[in-house]
Amino acid sequence: MNEINKGLDDRRATYIEYAQAVPLAYAIDLDVCLGCGLCENVCLAKAVKYDDKERESEIRVGSVILSPGTKGYDPSGLVTYGYGLYPNVVTSEGFERILSAGGPYYGHVMRPLDRQEPKSIAWLQCVGSRDTNRCGNGYCSSVCCMYAVKEAMIAKEHIHGELDAVIFNMDMRTFGKDYEKYFLRARDKEGVRFVKSRVHTVSEIPASGDLSIQYVDESGDMKEEIFSMVVLSVGLTIPDSAVALARRLNIELNPYDFADTRPFEPVTTSRPGIYTCGVFQGPKDIPGAVTEASAAACLAGGDLAEARGSEIQAIEIPREKDVSQEDPRIGVFVCNCGINIGGIVDVPAVQTYAAKLPQVVFTDSNLFTCSQDTQEKIREKINEHDLNRVVVASCSPKTHAPMFMETLEACGLNKYLFEMANIRNQNSWIHSKSPDLATQKAKDLVRMAVARAAVLRPLKEKVIPVNHRALIIGGGIAGLNAALALGRQQFEVCLVEKETVLGGLSLKLHHTIEGEDIRVYIEKLIAEVRADDKIEIVTDAEIAGFGGYKGNFETELRVGPGQEKRIIKHGVIIVATGAIEYDPKEYFYGQDDRVITQIDLSNRLEEKGASDLDSVAMIQCIGSRNEEYPECSRICCQNAVKNAIHIKKLNPDTQVYVLYRDIRTYGFLEDYYREAREKGVIFLRFNQDSPPDVECLPDGVTISVIDHVLQRPIAIRADLLTLSAGIRAADTNELSGIMKLNRNPEGYFMEAHVKLRPVDMPGEGIFLCGTAHGPKLISETISQAQAAASRATTFLAKPEIKLSAITAKVDTDNCVKCLTCVRSCPFEVPAFNQNTKLIEIDEALCHGCGVCTGVCPREAIQLSFYEDDQIMCKIDALMAGGM
């Protein structure tokens, strides 16, 4: 810990050096200050003091969203782990800092005690979670298993020699979309070891600083291993400040101090008009938090729909300057990015070098170029030095280029007169051990960017009106909630369902694990949708054709037995095609009536009860986590626990056995797992290589399995064998082909970005929700549907939108109509016009991917913003070398 703190002190010294190198005086406008105290907390020199005297202020709002965040569990009180006593015991948060290029060791994996590269690292799971005895947190924090796998993988990448990475766990809960594949890659390809054991004590070996872990393996044998470091995978908790805020607002909290919400209203608090999202709603990962943030915004937007736009202050963009006849005047802004860049790259040297490049008239360096104050500074320098081109040398243009482009527009410059040099992701992060090399490469990247900036040309974006209507494909819980959310925001919706009735898979379900009645909920939901005059429902319909672009789509439907043709014009699309239960091929399902699925069991319990059942066995991961379908179906464990508890409540004498590989009752579902055990449900773990054997006999179904505690075969006679069948994506082969929607190998539709845009699809104006995206609970489906509606609203609320100017254009004089572009475009945009006999590319439909530009044998197609001279000049600048 002392070494980590020393590293942080070094970082503070670095920041102070930057501040001294760039003498700036910051003033606080007390008329603008909100009194949040944030500046006092972040000021490294402790030069800001917060005046905490009471201030009276009032802000008129129509709704409130609470997202106060989380903090990692502090394991100091768990003295047996040695945190705070042994320097080489760190938390997962501390290890994240060690791995980070902006951390105390600049991304080098070192032991805090002696700064030596570790040879072995152990991760101890569930520290501060799933523990009602020592810390009182009975819930699962949901994220710890995945971040431990991630940290182990990154550590192995950073360390040149062999690293023995071991994760001690009770259950590996890699339940998210594609998470199981990542876990399998770590285990089977990267050599990360996973040990089923909950470690109680960590001891230090004083002579070396190594750490001894004694544990009991699954066979009951006592083992001891020595590790260079131990990482405590700490859970998520709610800060005291968030608890105090909730109490001031009279918001009900659950026993763990998270916001109390209901399964069918996952982001709605106990107080009307106040919503919540993120970890304050419950433990979750980044995609879940981002999704819920959009969901909360959707519901808040519904409250404000009638007043939309009434108190918005429009930002006036100055008239664009005509610089087409001016010589390039380039400004270069080099970012330190804290120490992400400045800790490796000699930023002052890069700035000095940039100042000598042709047509560069101004250079500057900044601590964080993306900060609001730096944006203001860039605007000032553009006007002061009459800049007509801007180069920013910082991080990834994927995340930051739009912001800098807006800064240019605010100065009256065309946004396409901007270029970025990625000297962080593509330089300092990967050359952190070679500062001189990183500095030279930064100069090369800046020189290339300046050369390209000099030949950039202003581009005009086409403005098109928006059709304020949404098409929602799928009438299950996701589609119905998305439709209702948009209807409440006063947008027209066409809801299309291929079946003759609404409801989807939910029509086969009865209760949630919390006890909520699904049948009552779905009936009410359908009634509300039917009663909304903004929503048109079209059942027994299929998608037959599709065209158009964001804001202006056109979809052809075939409706009813007669396949009547209908054309729907709309501005956005929400895909909510749902999923189906896996139809088991295993264990005599369909051959013996005593072998059923969890849905079948739910129906039986509702109809017949459990008084005639002496014994029920359940086998998990049926149709999931295997070679054919490697993913986890997410919902199966809670289904088994829910039905097991139901049986015990109906007939406490019924013996219930659950045969599992990992119980994945994440979040607050862990409480029900514990309840099931307390009621006498017996959980038996089996190995994937030794699955249970089943024999159907006249007196019952016999299940044979190797007990992981006894380490010997046991036989269970059951009246019913229940298979926890996973879910599979609905058959969308035809739909995905017609609408050009990408799917993963499991058949689920793919999002634009797993973390940053979890409900957006790659095509603009198209959104995704529910089990069409991947397996999930009803509560998660509802929040994702509301999130998709919220994202759709960002289009529908605008009278018009701009299309990107980065599109392909055909030089018809040189085109020989070979049709290579027509065959190659993944979006089928280039087309041969039979009347004009020319190849045409509709700019509104073009995605700017550049495929046609690359494959054209005559080089007759140019991609705006990436024209040949704008690419070749960078290559020429690179090959020309330094000055």
Side-chain angles (χ1 to χ4, degrees):
M1 289 298 294
N2 293 334
E3 284 299 321
I4 289 182
N5 290 334
K6 182 179 184 303
L8 294 174
D9 290 338
D10 291 343
R11 184 171 62 167
R12 293 190 183 101
T14 304
Y15 282 130
I16 292 169
E17 289 171 6
Y18 291 147
Q20 293 172 346
V22 186
L24 296 172
Y26 290 92
I28 298 176
D29 188 338
L30 297 181
D31 293 329
V32 178
C33 176
L34 299 177
C36 65
L38 178 62
C39 55
E40 180 183 16
N41 292 330
V42 301
C43 180
L44 299 173
K46 302 300 180 185
V48 181
K49 296 300 179 184
Y50 173 49
D51 180 4
D52 61 356
K53 65 182 180 181
E54 291 188 9
R55 302 184 183 193
E56 293 185 3
S57 62
E58 183 176 300
I59 302 174
R60 293 176 62 248
V61 297
S63 62
V64 176
I65 297 174
L66 299 179
S67 54
T70 182
K71 67 174 183 177
Y73 175 77
D74 181 1
S76 300
L78 305 179
V79 293
T80 59
Y81 287 144
Y83 178 74
L85 300 175
Y86 310 143
N88 291 333
V89 176
V90 300
T91 65
S92 46
E93 293 174 323
F95 195 72
E96 287 281 343
R97 298 304 305 145
I98 290 174
L99 291 174
S100 173
Y105 310 141
Y106 307 109
H108 305 296
V109 181
M110 299 178 181
R111 302 195 329 164
L113 176 65
D114 50 20
R115 296 203 177 189
Q116 296 299 308
E117 196 172 77
K119 297 179 180 178
S120 57
I121 304 176
W123 279 261
L124 308 188
Q125 298 307 104
C126 302
V127 177
S129 301
R130 301 183 68 186
D131 186 350
T132 57
N133 296 320
R134 296 201 289 176
C135 69
N137 294 336
Y139 57 88
C140 166
S141 287
S142 302
V143 301
C144 315
C145 287
M146 272 304 294
Y147 74 55
V149 176
K150 178 200 71 174
E151 288 181 351
M153 294 272 278
I154 296 175
K156 288 179 78 70
E157 291 173 0
H158 282 213
I159 293 176
H160 295 295
E162 282 293 322
L163 172 68
D164 183 21
V166 185
I167 298 178
F168 291 89
N169 67 92
M170 295 188 290
D171 302 280
M172 283 307 299
R173 294 184 168 175
T174 49
F175 53 83
K177 187 176 182 180
D178 290 335
Y179 288 4
E180 184 75 5
K181 293 178 182 178
Y182 193 74
F183 161 65
L184 293 175
R185 175 185 158 197
R187 187 192 68 183
D188 300 337
K189 296 183 178 180
E190 303 300 332
V192 178
R193 288 197 289 137
F194 294 86
V195 177
K196 284 280 186 277
S197 182
R198 187 160 196 170
V199 174
H200 180 271
T201 302
V202 177
S203 303
E204 186 184 54
I205 301 173
S208 63
D210 289 342
L211 301 157
S212 169
I213 290 180
Q214 291 186 333
Y215 63 95
V216 178
D217 66 13
E218 288 196 283
S219 65
D221 295 333
M222 179 67 73
K223 298 286 183 69
E224 181 181 16
E225 292 194 51
I226 307 299
F227 294 93
S228 305
M229 288 182 67
V230 168
V231 179
L232 304 180
S233 294
V234 295
L236 306 178
T237 64
I238 297 302
D240 293 339
S241 59
V243 175
L245 173 63
R247 288 173 178 162
R248 288 199 303 271
L249 295 176
N250 197 26
I251 299 299
E252 292 182 10
L253 303 177
N254 72 9
Y256 303 118
D257 286 336
F258 293 82
D260 190 26
T261 62
R262 307 306 303 162
F264 300 144
E265 297 178 307
V267 297
T268 301
T269 69
S270 58
R271 187 170 177 181
I274 299 183
Y275 307 98
T276 186
C277 58
V279 177
F280 190 51
Q281 191 273 347
K284 59 182 57 66
D285 58 8
I286 292 173
V290 172
T291 296
E292 280 188 352
S294 290
C298 174
L299 297 187
D303 294 343
L304 306 177
E306 293 184 3
R308 179 181 289 118
S310 61
E311 296 191 16
I312 291 178
Q313 295 182 355
I315 299 176
E316 293 188 10
I317 304 297
R319 185 176 180 180
E320 184 176 307
K321 303 174 185 176
D322 182 5
V323 299
S324 58
Q325 303 304 314
E326 297 179 6
D327 292 332
R329 294 179 57 82
I330 302 172
V332 178
F333 299 84
V334 185
C335 184
N336 283 284
C337 195
I339 60 173
N340 278 285
I341 296 172
I344 308 297
V345 174
D346 186 346
V347 169
V350 175
Q351 180 186 348
T352 300
Y353 174 78
K356 301 176 183 178
L357 294 172
Q359 299 169 313
V360 172
V361 299
F362 176 79
T363 63
D364 195 7
S365 61
N366 315 100
L367 185 58
F368 291 103
T369 308
C370 58
S371 65
Q372 184 60 40
D373 60 319
T374 304
Q375 296 304 298
E376 295 288 345
K377 182 180 177 183
I378 291 175
R379 281 194 280 270
E380 292 174 4
K381 298 304 178 183
I382 288 175
N383 293 324
E384 179 182 344
H385 296 275
D386 198 22
L387 304 179
N388 56 26
R389 306 283 194 286
V390 171
V391 171
V392 172
S394 59
C395 53
S396 171
K398 186 173 184 178
T399 55
H400 286 75
M403 176 184 63
F404 294 120
M405 286 180 161
E406 288 178 3
T407 300
L408 264 67
E409 287 185 305
C411 297
L413 286 179
N414 187 281
K415 62 189 282 187
Y416 293 99
L417 297 175
F418 171 78
E419 174 68 353
M420 280 188 80
N422 190 344
I423 63 171
R424 187 189 70 177
N425 306 50
Q426 298 176 358
N427 186 27
S428 64
W429 278 1
I430 57 176
H431 301 302
S432 59
K433 297 181 180 180
S434 306
D436 292 340
L437 174 64
T439 299
Q440 182 55 51
K441 184 175 178 180
K443 293 178 181 179
D444 292 340
L445 291 169
V446 169
R447 183 174 69 254
M448 295 162 66
V450 167
R452 173 170 151 79
V455 297
L456 291 176
R457 290 174 281 277
L459 301 176
K460 297 296 181 182
E461 295 181 324
K462 185 177 181 180
V463 178
I464 59 171
V466 175
N467 184 319
H468 298 115
R469 191 184 198 193
L471 174 69
I472 298 178
I473 306 172
I477 283 182
L480 290 167
N481 272 282
L484 195 60
L486 287 174
R488 286 174 175 168
Q489 297 204 49
Q490 304 303 305
F491 294 115
E492 292 186 1
V493 176
C494 179
L495 177 63
V496 177
E497 167 57 45
K498 69 176 182 179
E499 303 295 339
T500 56
V501 295
L502 299 173
L505 183 61
S506 65
L507 296 177
K508 298 181 180 181
L509 309 178
H510 293 277
H511 295 88
T512 68
I513 197 170
E514 298 88 356
E516 300 287 344
D517 193 318
I518 298 172
R519 298 287 176 91
V520 171
Y521 168 72
I522 197 68
E523 289 174 4
K524 178 184 176 185
L525 180 61
I526 292 173
E528 289 177 337
V529 169
R530 291 190 182 280
D532 194 319
D533 59 5
K534 293 287 185 180
I535 302 173
E536 177 189 8
I537 300 171
V538 184
T539 56
D540 194 15
E542 294 185 355
I543 306 296
F546 175 72
Y549 44 89
K550 64 178 182 179
N552 290 271
F553 294 109
E554 187 173 290
T555 300
E556 178 185 335
L557 304 181
R558 297 292 182 182
V559 184
Q563 294 289 285
E564 175 190 349
K565 178 181 176 181
R566 282 194 58 185
I567 300 296
I568 306 295
K569 294 184 178 182
H570 50 99
V572 297
I573 303 162
I574 295 179
V575 178
T577 49
I580 59 174
E581 185 185 32
Y582 168 68
D583 185 19
K585 309 298 187 294
E586 302 90 337
Y587 297 124
F588 303 102
Y589 181 78
Q591 302 173 42
D592 192 304
D593 292 341
R594 295 169 296 181
V595 180
I596 60 178
T597 67
Q598 291 289 355
I599 289 181
D600 297 332
L601 178 59
S602 295
N603 291 333
R604 194 217 191 262
L605 296 176
E606 292 292 329
E607 296 170 3
K608 298 181 180 181
S611 59
D612 60 333
L613 297 176
D614 294 326
S615 176
V616 175
M618 304 177 182
I619 301 178
Q620 300 304 106
C621 299
I622 301 299
S624 301
R625 301 184 68 192
N626 54 36
E627 290 186 6
E628 177 189 353
Y629 189 91
E631 286 287 68
C632 170
S633 284
R634 189 172 183 138
I635 64 168
C636 316
C637 287
Q638 68 91 32
N639 269 344
V641 170
K642 174 184 68 175
N643 283 336
I645 292 174
H646 194 184
I647 292 171
K648 282 293 188 178
K649 288 180 177 179
L650 293 172
N651 185 359
D653 294 331
T654 303
Q655 291 293 325
V656 181
Y657 304 89
V658 179
L659 282 60
Y660 72 99
R661 290 166 55 191
D662 294 281
I663 288 292
R664 294 181 168 176
T665 46
Y666 56 93
F668 303 130
L669 298 175
E670 182 70 13
D671 288 342
Y672 299 98
Y673 177 33
R674 185 169 53 255
E675 179 185 348
R677 299 198 306 274
E678 291 170 350
K679 289 184 179 296
V681 177
I682 299 173
F683 291 84
L684 301 168
R685 180 185 292 121
F686 67 89
N687 191 290
Q688 182 181 6
D689 298 329
S690 303
D693 290 324
V694 173
E695 188 176 5
C696 293
L697 302 173
D699 63 339
V701 180
T702 300
I703 304 98
S704 300
V705 65
I706 298 176
D707 183 273
H708 72 282
V709 176
L710 300 177
Q711 288 296 300
R712 57 179 293 181
I714 62 172
I716 301 168
R717 191 206 66 80
D719 299 318
L720 288 178
L721 171 60
T722 305
L723 306 181
S724 291
I727 64 172
R728 297 290 174 87
D731 183 3
T732 55
N733 285 333
E734 185 176 357
L735 175 67
S736 63
I738 292 172
M739 303 188 78
K740 302 295 182 295
L741 304 176
N742 294 331
R743 300 179 300 164
N744 69 8
E746 288 72 42
Y748 294 105
F749 289 107
M750 296 175 65
E751 61 275 70
H753 191 287
V754 65
K755 294 186 183 297
L756 304 181
R757 299 174 65 195
V759 298
D760 292 52
M761 296 191 76
E764 290 194 79
I766 306 176
F767 308 95
L768 175 64
C769 61
T771 48
H773 166 267
K776 53 184 56 68
L777 301 173
I778 288 177
S779 58
E780 295 163 340
T781 293
I782 293 170
S783 62
Q784 198 175 51
Q786 293 166 345
S790 180
R791 297 291 299 134
T793 301
T794 61
F795 278 84
L796 298 177
K798 299 175 183 177
E800 58 188 24
I801 57 175
K802 289 182 178 180
L803 299 177
S804 172
I806 303 176
T807 56
K809 295 177 175 59
V810 181
D811 179 357
T812 55
D813 293 336
N814 289 319
C815 175
V816 295
K817 294 85 175 176
C818 67
L819 305 184
T820 302
C821 58
V822 176
R823 293 189 296 269
S824 302
C825 178
F827 305 101
E828 299 183 359
V829 175
F832 180 69
N833 189 316
Q834 295 288 352
N835 296 323
T836 62
K837 307 300 181 185
L838 297 174
I839 296 292
E840 297 177 349
I841 296 178
D842 189 331
E843 292 184 25
L845 296 176
C846 180
H847 289 242
C849 67
V851 169
C852 59
T853 305
V855 300
C856 179
R858 293 275 294 179
E859 300 181 2
I861 302 177
Q862 290 288 321
L863 183 65
S864 301
F865 198 60
Y866 295 101
E867 296 182 22
D868 290 351
D869 63 328
Q870 295 168 347
I871 301 297
M872 295 303 298
C873 69
K874 296 186 72 171
I875 299 174
D876 292 341
L878 174 63
M879 301 307 293
M883 295 174 57

